[in-house]
Amino acid sequence: MLKQTIENLGHSTLQSVWRIGFAARFFVVMLLHSGTAFRRFGLTIREMYFTGVLSLVIILVSGLFVGMVLGLQGYETLQTYGSEEALGILVALSLVRELGPVVAALLFASRAGSAITAEIGLMKATEQLSAMEMMAVDPIARVVAPRFWAGVISMPLLAALFSAMGIFGGYLVGVQLIGVDEGAFWSQMKSAVDFDQDILNGVIKSVVFGVAITTIALFEGYDAPPTAEGVSGATTRTVVTSSLAVLALDFVLTAFMFRGLN
Amino acid sequence: MSNDNLVEIEDVVFGYGARPVLKGINLTARRGQVIAIMGSSGCGKTTLLRLIGGQVRARQGTVRVAGASVGELDAAGLYRLRRKMGMLFQFGALFTDISVFDNVAFQLREHTDLPEDTIRDLVLMKLHAVGLRGAAQLMPAELSGGMARRVALARAIALDPMLVMYDEPFAGLDPISLGVTGNLIRRLTDTLGLTSLVVTHDVQESLKIVDYVYFVSEGVIVAEGTAAEIRASGLPYVHQFVHGEADGPVPFHYPAPSYADDLRLGGVRA
Amino acid sequence: MNKTVLDLWVGLFVIAGIVALLFLALKVGSMSAIKPGESYEVVARFDNIGGLKPRAPVKSAGVVVGRVADIRFDNETYEAAVTLRVDKRYAFPKDTSAAIMTSGLLGEQYIGLEAGGDSETLKDRDQIFLTQSAVVLENLIGQFIYGKAQEGPTQ
C-alpha cells in the first residue's frame, strides 16, 4: 500500500519533469522558428485580432469595475484617517503595480489562452497540423510562433488599458460621485507614482505574464491528445496552470522589483 | 533498380514504443500507377504513408522517394521533397478557419512568389478539376464529407506533385461520392502524370481503379498483385478480406488468454 | 473576416494601448528620477535620519529640487550618509544646510535645504556639513516628560 503510493508519487513526478522538459524544448523551438512571425507580420496581426482585440471588451469592462470598487473601498478606509486626497495614490498604485498586470493576465488566460489551446488542439486532432507538415510548411513557424508573439505584444497593451480604465473608474467614483477634490486626486497620484519604479515595472510584469500564458496555452494545445477529452482537458489545464503561473510569477517579480522600496 | 520506380520501400521495420507495427515491408510504386495498400484497420497502413512523407523514421530498412532516402534527409531536404508530394488525409484535414479558395491557394502562397492573379487562376483550375469551382468561397464547415475530400484533393495537387498519397479516401462516403472520388483519383493520376498511393480498406471500390495492390497484415506484406489477380486469389487472407468474412485468418477475437481461463474455469476443465 | 477590417481593428487596438500607456506615463506617473546627466550628487551626514527613505524629495523653500538617491550607514563615524541628487538647474552655496523635515505631523519625511551665503557653489561629490537630524517623536516626548519631572511637583 505504502509502496504503491510512493511508486505513484515517483511516477507522477517523473511525468511532470518530462512534461516540463518538453515544454522547455517547445519554447526554444518556438523562439528559433519565430522568423516567419516577423517576416510575414500579417500572420501575427491576424492573431492579435483574436487574442487582443477580442479580449478588449472584457478587459475594459473589468478594469472599469475594479477601479470603481477600489475607489469606493479605498475612500471608506482612507477617510477614517482623514486622508481622502490619497485616494488617487491608492487607486493608481494598486492598479499600475499589481491589479492591472495580474487581473488583466488572469482574464487573458481564460479568454485568449483557452481559445488558443482549443484551436491548436483541434487543428492537431483534425490532422490540420500534420497536413501542413506534409505541405512542407512548418506548423511551429506558421501557426504557433505568430500566436506567441501576438500574445506577447497584446498582453502589455491590454494591461495598460486595464489600468487606465481602472484609474478612470476610481476617478468617476472618487471625484465625480463622492466628491474628493479633483486637483488633489490627480496631483497626489502624479507625485507618488514613479514612471520607472511603478509603471515600467508593471509593463515588464505584463510582458512576462504574456510570455508565460501564451507558452502554456500553445504547449497544452500542441501536446493535447487528439480526442475530444484530450482537447477539453488541455483547455482546462491551460486556464489552471497559467493562472497559477501568473500568481507565482507575480510574487517572484514583485519580490525582485520592489525590494528596498517601502 | 529501374528508374521507373518512384517509391521504393525495402525491409522497413517500425514500431511505436515497444509495439512493433511494421516488420519488414517491401513495396515499390511505379511512376504513373495507382497503387493500393490494403489491410485491416490498425495494421500500419497509415504509418507506411507517414514513413514515405518523412513524418516518422524507420528503425531499419530504407524508404526511397525519387531516389532520395527519406530517413537520411535533414529538415530542409525533407521539406524540399514534401513539396513534390501531396497528401490527402482521412477526413480532408482542411484548414477550418479559411475558405476553400484559400485552402487550395495555401501552398501556392507559402512556397511561390506568384502574383495573386496567377494564384487565382491556378486555384480555380484545380478546383475545376475536382468539380468544385463554384464552391470556392465556401468555408470548410459548409461542405459535405465528399466535397471536403475533393477540396483536399485539389489542395494536394496544387503544386503539381509527382506523388499523391491518400489516407482512407473512401471512408465514410456515400456510394455516389465514393464513385466520384474513385474516378477522380484514377483520372488525375492519368491526366497529370502522378503516382498515387491509396491506403484503404474499401476493396470493391479500389479494385476498380488500381493498377497494383499490396495486402498488409501483422506488419508484413501477405499478398500482392494486379486487381484481377487479387480477385482471383485463393489465399485465405485475401479471400476473407475481399469477401468480407467475419472469421478466417484474421481472427474475430483480439489475442487473449483462453476463454475458459479468463472465466476462472481452469480447475473444472482439468 | 475581411483582411482590411481585421487590420483596422488591430491598428485601433494598438493605438488605444499606446494611448493608455502614455496616459499612465504622463498623467498618472511622473519621471521623478532625474537623469544622471542633468543632476549633481552631494552627500550629507546625519546622526539620525528617522524614517527617511530613498526617493524622498529634496526641497528648498518648499520647491522640489531633487531626490534622495541613496542612504548608507557609515561604519566609521556611525552616521547615516545620505546622497542627494539635485537638479543641475539649481545651484546652492557651499555652506548650505540640510535638515530632515516632516510634512505635517505624520506625513512623509523629506530633506529641506537652506541656502547659506558663500559665493562658491556646491559641486558634484561635495559634502554638506551643516545638517540637522530628524526629529524623533519618541525622543521629543521623552524630553518633555523628563523636563516636567525636573520642574518637580508644583504646589
Side-chain angles (χ1 to χ4, degrees):
Chain A
M1 188 62 198
L2 181 68
K3 186 164 164 276
Q4 182 69 39
T5 317
I6 294 176
E7 274 174 9
N8 285 347
L9 181 71
H11 179 75
S12 53
T13 310
L14 279 178
Q15 211 57 14
S16 16
V17 171
W18 269 104
R19 263 180 78 77
I20 291 174
F22 276 128
R25 214 180 64 174
F26 177 79
F27 182 67
V28 172
V29 170
M30 184 169 69
L31 290 186
L32 291 179
H33 287 65
S34 289
T36 313
F38 291 101
R39 247 179 288 119
R40 293 170 58 193
F41 203 65
L43 291 175
T44 307
I45 287 181
R46 193 185 134 81
E47 296 310 325
M48 278 179 74
Y49 178 81
F50 293 108
T51 48
V53 175
L54 294 185
S55 306
L56 265 181
V57 174
I58 188 170
I59 290 281
L60 291 179
V61 173
S62 315
L64 185 69
F65 280 111
V66 167
M68 285 162 69
V69 170
L70 272 178
L72 269 180
Q73 292 282 18
Y75 179 80
E76 289 295 322
T77 311
L78 286 174
Q79 71 158 350
T80 325
Y81 304 100
S83 38
E84 301 94 299
E85 288 80 13
L87 186 65
I89 303 177
L90 185 138
V91 171
L93 278 187
S94 336
L95 278 166
V96 170
R97 278 189 186 177
E98 287 297 334
L99 291 176
V102 172
V103 179
L106 293 177
L107 292 171
F108 184 75
S110 36
R111 172 66 185 77
S114 58
I116 289 175
T117 305
E119 194 187 7
I120 303 272
L122 279 175
M123 285 182 84
K124 190 185 168 196
T126 55
E127 294 188 304
Q128 293 182 43
L129 295 183
S130 261
M132 204 174 270
E133 234 173 63
M134 283 305 297
M135 287 190 257
V137 175
D138 181 5
I140 299 265
R142 181 64 171 67
V143 175
V144 172
R147 282 170 173 74
F148 172 74
W149 289 106
V152 173
I153 296 170
S154 298
M155 191 62 248
L157 298 176
L158 289 172
L161 281 164
F162 186 97
S163 297
M165 207 62 194
I167 290 167
F168 178 67
Y171 164 81
L172 275 187
V173 168
V175 175
Q176 299 296 336
L177 200 70
I178 299 176
V180 173
D181 182 61
E182 182 165 353
F185 182 88
W186 289 112
S187 68
Q188 290 240 11
M189 183 193 299
K190 210 166 152 56
S191 68
V193 179
D194 183 66
F195 182 76
D196 291 345
Q197 289 290 350
D198 301 319
I199 295 173
L200 212 59
N201 279 346
V203 173
I204 291 171
K205 270 187 183 180
S206 58
V207 173
V208 174
F209 296 162
V211 171
I213 294 169
T214 41
T215 306
I216 291 171
L218 288 165
F219 176 70
E220 287 290 358
Y222 205 76
D223 192 48
T227 59
E229 309 92 76
V231 175
S232 76
T235 310
T236 311
R237 268 201 308 281
T238 292
V239 177
V240 173
T241 316
S242 54
S243 302
L244 288 178
V246 163
L247 296 172
L249 279 172
D250 183 48
F251 171 73
V252 174
L253 289 173
T254 307
F256 273 102
M257 286 172 172
F258 300 109
R259 192 180 47 180
L261 284 175
N262 318 335
Chain B
M1 291 240 173
S2 84
N3 211 11
D4 244 12
N5 293 339
L6 185 63
V7 181
E8 293 168 343
I9 296 179
E10 282 173 44
D11 302 321
V12 161
V13 175
F14 182 80
Y16 292 107
R19 191 167 63 90
V21 179
L22 304 176
K23 306 169 196 162
I25 292 265
N26 287 287
L27 185 152
T28 51
R30 302 244 319 269
R31 285 179 202 270
Q33 283 194 328
V34 178
I35 311 287
I37 303 170
M38 292 193 203
S40 40
S41 309
C43 73
K45 303 184 302 272
T46 306
T47 308
L48 210 49
L49 293 191
R50 289 166 67 88
L51 278 164
I52 297 170
Q55 288 187 307
V56 291
R57 278 172 197 216
R59 290 199 180 150
Q60 282 170 40
T62 51
V63 177
R64 263 199 297 277
V65 177
S69 174
V70 176
E72 290 162 24
L73 290 173
D74 59 350
L78 202 55
Y79 273 35
R80 263 198 306 280
L81 183 64
R82 282 182 188 163
R83 288 191 197 189
K84 294 184 239 159
M85 295 183 190
M87 179 140 175
L88 180 68
F89 282 82
Q90 194 161 355
F91 295 105
L94 293 177
F95 302 128
T96 42
D97 56 338
I98 52 179
S99 69
V100 165
F101 182 93
D102 292 332
N103 261 288
V104 181
F106 185 80
Q107 287 195 84
L108 295 167
R109 288 186 181 142
E110 290 290 327
H111 294 315
T112 67
D113 293 321
L114 295 174
E116 197 60 24
D117 283 349
T118 318
I119 288 181
R120 187 176 168 279
D121 294 348
L122 284 172
V123 169
L124 291 181
M125 277 162 63
K126 302 296 177 194
L127 279 173
H128 188 75
V130 299
L132 289 174
R133 190 163 40 85
Q137 294 313 317
L138 296 182
M139 293 301 280
E142 297 170 271
L143 302 175
S144 71
M147 283 159 82
R149 219 71 63 86
R150 277 147 74 191
V151 172
L153 188 51
R155 186 178 67 174
I157 57 169
L159 283 184
D160 293 324
M162 54 186 186
L163 171 68
V164 180
M165 295 181 276
Y166 307 79
D167 188 2
E168 308 279 8
F170 306 119
L173 292 185
D174 60 75
I176 300 174
S177 307
L178 209 68
V180 169
T181 311
N183 284 330
L184 212 48
I185 293 175
R186 183 74 247 182
R187 211 177 69 221
L188 289 175
T189 308
D190 294 341
T191 52
L192 299 178
L194 309 169
T195 305
S196 291
L197 216 50
V198 185
V199 155
T200 180
H201 44 232
D202 192 307
V203 187
Q204 301 309 332
E205 191 56 41
S206 43
L207 284 183
K208 285 184 212 156
I209 58 161
V210 299
D211 296 308
Y212 206 76
V213 180
Y214 287 91
F215 268 97
V216 183
S217 176
E218 315 248 316
V220 288
I221 304 273
V222 290
E224 57 182 283
T226 60
E229 284 168 12
I230 290 296
R231 279 210 189 86
S233 171
L235 277 170
Y237 173 79
V238 176
H239 188 80
Q240 184 195 358
F241 205 91
V242 173
H243 296 280
E245 290 159 0
D247 217 347
V250 180
F252 172 68
H253 290 290
Y254 190 80
S258 129
Y259 194 32
D261 284 349
D262 248 10
L263 295 180
R264 309 260 167 92
L265 301 173
V268 181
R269 196 180 50 169
Chain C
M1 158 119 350
N2 196 331
K3 188 165 157 49
T4 46
V5 177
L6 193 139
D7 284 353
L8 180 73
W9 271 107
V10 174
L12 286 177
F13 164 57
V14 172
I15 291 171
I18 289 171
V19 167
L21 274 175
L22 283 178
F23 166 75
L24 292 181
L26 301 175
K27 285 298 276 188
V28 175
S30 50
M31 295 275 207
S32 63
I34 305 159
K35 291 182 193 72
E38 294 158 21
S39 62
Y40 59 97
E41 284 184 356
V42 292
V43 178
R45 291 169 182 280
F46 296 94
D47 292 333
N48 192 332
I49 60 165
L52 191 73
K53 301 256 164 39
R55 299 208 307 119
V58 176
K59 296 183 185 182
S60 186
V63 179
V64 178
V65 295
R67 296 265 169 195
V68 171
D70 184 38
I71 298 175
R72 216 177 282 275
F73 181 68
D74 186 336
N75 211 165
E76 278 165 22
T77 58
Y78 304 110
E79 283 175 328
V82 178
T83 309
L84 315 178
R85 182 168 289 158
V86 183
D87 198 319
K88 236 185 190 134
R89 288 175 296 169
Y90 309 115
F92 288 93
K94 267 214 143 50
D95 59 347
T96 295
S97 66
I100 295 177
M101 323 269 240
T102 308
S103 51
L105 192 58
L106 298 167
E108 62 164 357
Q109 287 188 304
Y110 65 94
I111 290 192
L113 295 181
E114 187 101 13
D118 204 316
S119 54
E120 275 192 65
T121 55
L122 284 169
K123 307 248 165 15
D124 200 31
R125 308 261 153 236
D126 274 358
Q127 193 173 342
I128 293 177
F129 291 99
L130 294 168
T131 62
Q132 188 191 325
S133 287
V135 176
V136 181
L137 208 57
E138 291 90 320
N139 294 353
L140 214 63
I141 295 167
Q143 274 170 18
F144 178 74
I145 294 168
Y146 184 69
K148 277 281 182 210
Q150 285 266 305
E151 281 175 32
T154 47
Q155 207 83 51

